[in-house]
Amino acid sequence: MSVQLLIAQVLLISMGLLGVAAVDPAKIFDHGPKALLALGLTLLAARLRPRAFLQLGPWVWGVTLVMLVLVHFIGVGTAESSGTRRWLDFGVIRFQPSEMAKLGLVMMLASFFARRGVQNKLISATGMIVLTTGLVFWEPDLGSSVLMFSLGIILMYAAGVRISNISGFMLALGLLAIPVAGIYVERNPYIMERLTGHQNRGEDPTQGLDQIGLAHRDLRMGGIIGQGPDGPRYEYFGEHTDMIVASVGFSSGLLGVTILLFAYWLIVATALDVAHLASRVRPMTPEIHGASVLAIGAMFMIVGQAFVNLCVAAGIFPVTGVPLPLVSYGFSSLLTMSLALGVIHSAMREVRRALPEPSETDPPVALSAD
């Protein structure tokens, strides 16, 4: 197991508990046990070898596709977004299939490229990405679909597909998507409302204390070390989900936000270390190649979504509705992202196992004088 990856997860979960406590202390009794369960699932997933994830990839991806299709027929929305169908309600638990679909796509593409290679496989991989993204796109969930499409691009690049081929693929899809985009925006007018509202925030005084403006106020009030989870604050939409970074900043100040960024950096560093070590393994076996792709894909799942969420809270992007991984309140994202961390743990252990043993004839490494 990777110690720095475990530290990152504990830091993120701790900051999430602090942010949830600042919003509603009663939610700790629901979020706390789920966070511990998610940590346990990470440890269990870490015990598996990448071969297991590569073999399960087509099955997991297939199940997530079925769930995404079911969402369009029996899915439910929320009181705030009754026009969308993004959750499957199982009575005891409400689950968002698009979260698991991200991990399913990572496992499927890693399995596909590990078994088939990357030569002349662009059309097949593109079909998998478009099918998965399209089902999420039509829920409608524009934020998650853009993230999923970006995830597919990163996975193809990590697997070794030429950047020129990827660019041609993106250009062709962009041209095909032009007529669909018009129909989509017409059917979902809230998208343009969010875009225009975001653009006019600085010009329209009535937008000064919208969701993003209120989040900025909490971040400013947090100062350097925060006011604690019981400090006096105002309520606004998404303060324990999409905008939880503001609750964390209010409770723990700049210190807490810096800890969040440091934890995500640890995840990036670990996954890139897996890819670097995998490049030293000779010969490069399909399992090592797949482990490297799994690690990069799982990392982008987490950090890419965190980047979008933090940009929304900073006012750079319009509101997208994506949670902050491993921090926001909500079991679907917490479960999926914790399993993704387990995948990175597994890939790291496999790559380290495959590294060649240092030879006795290798020259000694010179030690630095300082």
Side-chain angles (χ1 to χ4, degrees):
M1 295 204 44
S2 169
V3 175
Q4 66 183 34
L5 203 59
L6 189 59
I7 291 173
Q9 185 173 10
V10 171
L11 289 176
L12 291 171
I13 288 177
S14 300
M15 290 296 103
L17 291 171
L18 184 63
V20 171
V23 176
D24 185 356
K27 291 186 181 294
I28 288 293
F29 298 102
D30 177 56
H31 187 65
K34 290 178 179 177
L36 291 176
L37 175 60
L39 181 60
L41 289 175
T42 298
L43 299 179
L44 288 175
R47 302 305 303 166
L48 299 175
R49 298 188 66 173
R51 182 187 299 116
F53 295 108
L54 298 175
Q55 292 174 344
L56 290 172
W59 296 98
V60 174
W61 182 65
V63 170
T64 58
L65 289 184
V66 171
M67 289 194 296
L68 289 174
V69 172
L70 289 176
V71 162
H72 292 274
F73 295 98
I74 61 174
V76 297
T78 63
E80 295 80 12
S81 57
S82 57
T84 61
R85 295 174 179 266
R86 300 178 184 174
W87 288 267
L88 291 177
D89 194 342
F90 297 106
V92 180
I93 189 173
R94 178 178 289 187
F95 188 75
Q96 189 172 3
S98 60
E99 292 294 330
M100 184 58 72
K102 298 170 189 173
L103 183 58
L105 183 62
V106 169
M107 294 171 62
M108 179 62 214
L109 287 177
S111 175
F112 176 77
F113 286 125
R115 289 183 287 111
R116 305 288 185 86
V118 297
Q119 299 299 324
N120 303 319
K121 298 295 185 297
L122 185 60
I123 295 178
S124 299
T126 301
M128 298 173 194
I129 296 169
V130 171
L131 177 59
T132 312
T133 302
L135 289 173
V136 176
F137 182 73
W138 221 255
E139 289 182 359
D141 190 348
L142 181 60
S144 294
S145 60
V146 171
L147 277 170
M148 197 168 296
F149 184 81
S150 303
L151 176 61
I153 300 299
I154 293 296
L155 282 164
M156 286 197 295
Y157 182 73
V161 178
R162 292 181 179 178
I163 191 66
S164 57
N165 293 340
I166 296 175
S167 301
F169 147 72
M170 292 181 64
L171 177 61
L173 284 183
L175 294 174
L176 292 174
I178 292 176
V180 178
I183 300 173
Y184 187 78
V185 171
E186 184 178 350
R187 290 186 55 181
N188 304 282
Y190 78 93
I191 295 175
M192 289 306 301
E193 292 174 2
R194 287 187 179 182
L195 288 174
T196 55
H198 182 73
Q199 293 172 349
N200 298 331
R201 287 187 67 251
E203 303 173 4
D204 186 356
T206 62
Q207 298 289 334
L209 285 179
D210 60 355
Q211 187 182 8
I212 296 177
L214 293 170
H216 287 179
R217 183 182 60 187
D218 270 6
L219 287 169
R220 288 194 301 269
M221 292 176 64
I224 301 298
I225 60 174
Q227 299 194 27
D230 57 346
R233 56 189 303 277
Y234 296 93
E235 295 182 0
Y236 51 90
F237 177 71
E239 55 189 338
H240 62 298
T241 52
D242 307 345
M243 293 292 173
I244 195 170
V245 67
S247 302
V248 172
F250 177 85
S251 303
S252 57
L254 179 62
L255 177 62
V257 176
T258 303
I259 290 174
L260 283 181
L261 297 177
F262 173 69
Y264 287 124
W265 176 81
L266 287 178
I267 295 174
V268 173
T270 304
L272 292 180
D273 196 26
V274 172
H276 172 70
L277 293 176
S279 66
R280 294 169 49 192
V281 177
R282 295 291 184 273
M284 173 71 77
T285 63
E287 186 171 0
I288 295 300
H289 181 219
S292 176
V293 177
L294 281 171
I296 296 298
M299 177 270 290
F300 186 80
M301 258 184 68
I302 300 169
V303 179
Q305 184 165 314
F307 174 77
V308 172
N309 179 278
L310 294 174
C311 283
V312 169
I316 300 173
F317 293 167
V319 176
T320 58
V322 297
L324 186 59
L326 300 164
V327 181
S328 291
Y329 179 84
F331 189 54
S332 299
S333 176
L334 183 62
L335 170 67
T336 305
M337 298 301 173
S338 297
L339 289 174
L341 285 177
V343 169
I344 303 176
H345 278 294
S346 172
M348 174 61 81
R349 189 178 66 252
E350 187 69 23
V351 169
R352 283 175 174 169
R353 181 187 290 120
L355 284 174
E357 294 292 337
S359 172
E360 295 182 358
T361 60
D362 290 344
V365 179
L367 298 178
S368 174
D370 42 72

